[in-house]
Amino acid sequence: MDILQGIGVSSGVAVAKALVISDDQLRIGSHTVESKKLEAERQKLQSAITASSEEIRELRDQTSRRLGKETGAIFDFHLGLLNDPELIRTFINLINSQRYSAEYAVYRALRDYAKIFTDHSDAYFRDRVKDIFDIERRLLSKLTGAERLRIGELTDPVILIASDLTPSQTASLDKTMVRGIAIESGGKTSHTAIIANSLGIPAVVGLEGVIREVRTGDIIIINGHEGRVIVDPDTLTIDESKFLEQRQIRHATELDRLRDEPARTKDGVDITLMANIEFPHEVDYAMRKGAMGIGLYRTEFLYLGSDKPPSEDDHYAAYAEVIRRLAGKPVVIRTLDLGADKYSPNLNLPPEANPFLGCRSIRLCLASQEMFKVQLRAILRASVLGDVRIMFPMICNMMELRQAKYVLKDTMEDLDEERIAYNRYIRVGMMVEVPSTALMPKPYLRETDFLSIGSNDLIQYTLAVDRGNQRVASLFTGAHPAVIRLIRRVQRAGRAEVKNVSLCGEMGGDPDYTMLLLGLGLRTLSITPNNIPEIKQLIREITLKQCEKLASKVLKLEHGHLILNLLHDEMRRYHPDFYRDDVSKLAHHSQEA
Ligand code: PEP
Ligand code: MG
């Protein structure tokens, strides 16, 4: 029994046989052909392009129906490239001038393209290399007649093991057959992680060596919460995991009954549970899970699958769809938080040594005001359709906040001149995710309508721990006393200024922290839709008094691990059925074994 530790990106436990998707290249037969066969090669190539395009179109339409238009748009890039006249000319030239077989011409031309993209200074192009390999594999499988593994057509439940999934593989995932995903590369914000999470498939990324350790057919246990994969578990561990898997399914069904119940503590304090989303279609799921609105809409995902920045109308269409689906409930639209771990648009930015500390997020928007205004115009236009609020990310000084507000005001004036309607009283807030603002929140509170604590980045910047690097993942914790003090500071300042302070990082969706956050005074949490029912159930089982008592105990402790143990024990005291506890025990048991 081997245990591999990675980064959990989508929670849940699953047991199934492994299906290893190897990166082996498809075997290319002969490299050159006789002159009299060149015409046949050209025709073979044309048919392969036509058949592949047909397949991609079908995949795009299916994906758009299941996961929304933005995800389906991944395939527009594939279609565009596959039918690019210049690329087709290159294929044909290689066949004509070098007498290459169709498959070898495809291989050579696309490898050259991939090399150009790999070396590109812009991360957007570097990210597209995976798409080029995806296209290559599709064309080669048509040309060589080799059967390509179709993830959308699996007939038995599996846990997928891969170095990474291609965008088309990720988009065709079928939850009933793909019980889990374990991949070598990637961070929390990779395409694979985002889509696995929105489909509710347990997933672990950053698993170095998983491809070598696991063979197709091996029994695997995946624990998406702990970020662990157990290879070849013993019978006892398998039985325990299967039991947990079933219990988890039953538990989720039971929790869904709480959907219309309030998130009210036993002593009558109402907590507002909002959802974090990346795509408009996620609104329906969030509502089914009982969200009272969208507390964080990460709009940078509009860049997913597009080879050019979204237009004002693209932004507007996405926002209008979110607002329509919300039917009156509020949405906080966060302005573009591009760069570092988020998609970088085609802006030809120079590479940076420390992208997390570089020209990203609000800094990038202020440096590219034309791009920023395109988004602000769309948000303002959409603001007349429902309860819309704007939130600026990663503000680190007052100047940035004022500049962002100035650009917003300027955009309002443009709309006034053009006689375009918008809500001039739109609420404007900012994220507190840099220690400089958490340390002195008052001036920011005075110039905004609300603050939202982004604990993911606040932890990263306070503790100097890269949030996506598995080698330092054990240092990344919200239980650090310094992080807890910063949260308390922001919350207290908000109360004094009578402004709402919420928290929208992953800490908010982790039951270990619920009592502490309430005890520190927070009353609004914005979390992954999947976590809402469970957090609500916990809130309904505790009193605010208990939370406040716990918070004051925590504030006396100076070590993160002591704090975490205390939080965990306390949560289990009021919420003994919580399945994750069993899951972590299972992992510990396995580790000892
Ligand atoms: C955060 O930093 O906590 C946050 C919610 O934003 P993101 O994860 O998108 O950076
Ligand atoms: Mg952030």
Side-chain angles (χ1 to χ4, degrees), residues 117-153:
F117 277 53
T118 308
D119 295 341
H120 207 285
S121 60
D122 187 331
Y124 174 81
F125 286 101
R126 294 199 298 277
D127 284 352
R128 299 274 81 79
V129 171
K130 279 198 289 187
D131 295 279
I132 295 177
F133 288 140
D134 203 359
I135 294 166
E136 181 199 85
R137 268 184 258 170
R138 190 179 299 282
L139 268 181
L140 288 183
S141 69
K142 291 272 172 296
L143 288 167
T144 59
E147 234 344 271
R148 201 169 178 247
L149 172 69
R150 287 171 176 246
I151 291 180
E153 293 172 10

Side-chain angles (χ1 to χ4, degrees), residues 231-502:
V231 188
D232 273 337
D234 56 33
T235 339
L236 176 66
T237 313
I238 294 178
D239 289 348
E240 279 177 332
S241 296
K242 284 197 170 151
F243 170 76
L244 285 179
E245 198 183 0
Q246 286 311 314
R247 205 169 104 175
Q248 197 178 295
I249 295 167
R250 277 200 309 277
H251 185 63
T253 320
E254 275 164 29
L255 284 183
D256 282 347
R257 297 206 192 102
L258 287 179
R259 192 186 78 165
D260 300 320
E261 300 296 326
R264 183 174 295 153
T265 62
K266 275 164 111 180
D267 45 358
V269 179
D270 281 323
I271 307 300
T272 306
L273 291 182
M274 312 275 276
N276 296 348
I277 58 160
E278 287 80 29
F279 304 109
H281 73 274
E282 286 177 283
V283 172
D284 298 350
Y285 183 66
M287 294 303 113
R288 281 204 301 280
K289 292 283 165 187
M292 295 172 79
I294 303 303
L296 171 64
Y297 174 18
R298 293 181 163 108
T299 55
E300 47 288 348
F301 287 80
L302 277 165
Y303 282 80
L304 178 73
S306 168
D307 53 359
K308 54 183 193 318
S311 66
E312 182 181 322
D313 285 342
D314 294 335
H315 279 282
Y316 178 81
Y319 307 152
E321 192 183 337
V322 167
I323 298 162
R324 180 181 57 74
R325 287 176 189 249
L326 276 168
K329 293 200 167 91
V331 54
V332 178
I333 303 182
R334 179 177 71 184
T335 61
L336 295 167
D337 190 30
L338 292 163
D341 59 334
K342 313 270 189 347
Y343 302 98
S344 303
N346 175 10
L347 291 171
N348 284 328
L349 299 168
E352 295 176 307
N354 293 300
F356 275 111
L357 305 179
C359 185
R360 60 168 291 233
S361 191
I362 195 71
R363 299 171 185 175
L364 184 59
C365 288
L366 293 175
S368 332
Q369 289 194 12
E370 284 314 306
M371 176 187 81
F372 194 25
K373 276 191 165 180
V374 166
Q375 176 175 39
L376 293 176
R377 280 178 67 96
I379 300 177
L380 287 171
R381 280 172 53 203
S383 67
V384 292
L385 306 175
D387 184 347
V388 177
R389 304 160 195 190
I390 294 188
M391 178 160 73
F392 300 124
M394 217 197 145
I395 296 286
C396 81
N397 63 36
M398 283 302 288
M399 188 64 94
E400 276 178 350
L401 174 61
R402 286 188 183 155
Q403 279 178 343
K405 284 176 65 181
Y406 180 81
V407 182
L408 178 65
K409 194 164 153 274
D410 207 33
T411 312
M412 287 180 169
E413 281 167 12
D414 291 347
L415 293 182
D416 282 335
E417 269 174 32
E418 294 168 48
R419 298 180 178 280
I420 295 174
Y422 64 90
N423 171 13
R424 65 183 64 245
Y425 305 108
I426 188 165
R427 283 193 248 177
V428 179
M430 60 168 251
M431 294 193 69
V432 175
E433 49 186 351
V434 180
S436 62
T437 56
L439 276 165
M440 42 177 300
K442 273 212 175 125
Y444 300 95
L445 279 158
R446 292 200 186 115
E447 298 201 14
T448 53
D449 297 308
F450 62 91
L451 299 183
S452 189
I453 301 172
S455 55
N456 305 338
D457 279 311
L458 187 61
I459 296 169
Q460 147 163 283
Y461 291 127
T462 305
L463 307 181
V465 179
D466 178 346
R467 61 193 264 187
N469 180 347
Q470 77 258 34
R471 294 177 65 201
V472 290
S474 62
L475 297 173
F476 187 93
T477 172
H480 194 293
V483 173
I484 294 169
R485 271 167 183 73
L486 288 177
I487 294 174
R488 181 177 67 150
R489 203 175 177 90
V490 182
Q491 161 53 29
R492 282 187 159 185
R495 198 169 48 202
E497 296 291 323
V498 205
K499 295 269 173 78
N500 186 270
V501 171
S502 59

